Amino acid sequence: MMSGLGMLLGKIVGAAIGALIAALIVQFATRLVARFKPPYGMAYLAAFIGFIVALLATFVIQLATGTLQYGLTWPLFILLLVV
């Protein structure tokens, strides 16, 4: 079983890798909506910070509801989606 620190590190690495692709989506959406294209570095930073904030919000809500050891359940997923 993975330790808590190992799981956190894995999620941060996953967020870093996911932000590589999400940065392209941020650039496209910004160009489509606001008619300008931010630099890739800025889009990457925005996507990475978004992933980290979502990770922390999930952790806090799971800690508050007492479901940290069980993982993400459907009712908790819906709650997180609303938040």
Side-chain angles (χ1 to χ4, degrees), residues 14-37:
I17 293 170
L20 292 171
I21 296 170
L24 296 172
I25 296 169
V26 168
Q27 280 185 320
F28 175 74
T30 306
R31 185 179 40 172
L32 189 68
V33 173
R35 302 283 190 247
F36 80 96
K37 185 177 176 183

Side-chain angles (χ1 to χ4, degrees), residues 3 21 26 32 38 72 80-81:
S3 69
I21 296 170
V26 168
L32 189 68
L72 205 56
L80 285 170
L81 193 63

Side-chain angles (χ1 to χ4, degrees), residues 10-83:
K11 288 182 180 184
I12 291 174
V13 169
I17 293 170
L20 292 171
I21 296 170
L24 296 172
I25 296 169
V26 168
Q27 280 185 320
F28 175 74
T30 306
R31 185 179 40 172
L32 189 68
V33 173
R35 302 283 190 247
F36 80 96
K37 185 177 176 183
Y40 183 79
M42 184 184 297
Y44 176 80
L45 185 62
F48 182 70
I49 290 173
F51 278 125
I52 296 301
V53 168
L55 176 68
L56 291 175
T58 302
F59 176 76
V60 168
I61 290 175
Q62 281 184 322
L63 192 63
T65 57
T67 58
L68 195 58
Q69 68 271 14
Y70 302 118
L72 205 56
T73 60
W74 277 106
L76 185 60
F77 177 74
I78 298 300
L79 175 66
L80 285 170
L81 193 63
V82 170
V83 170

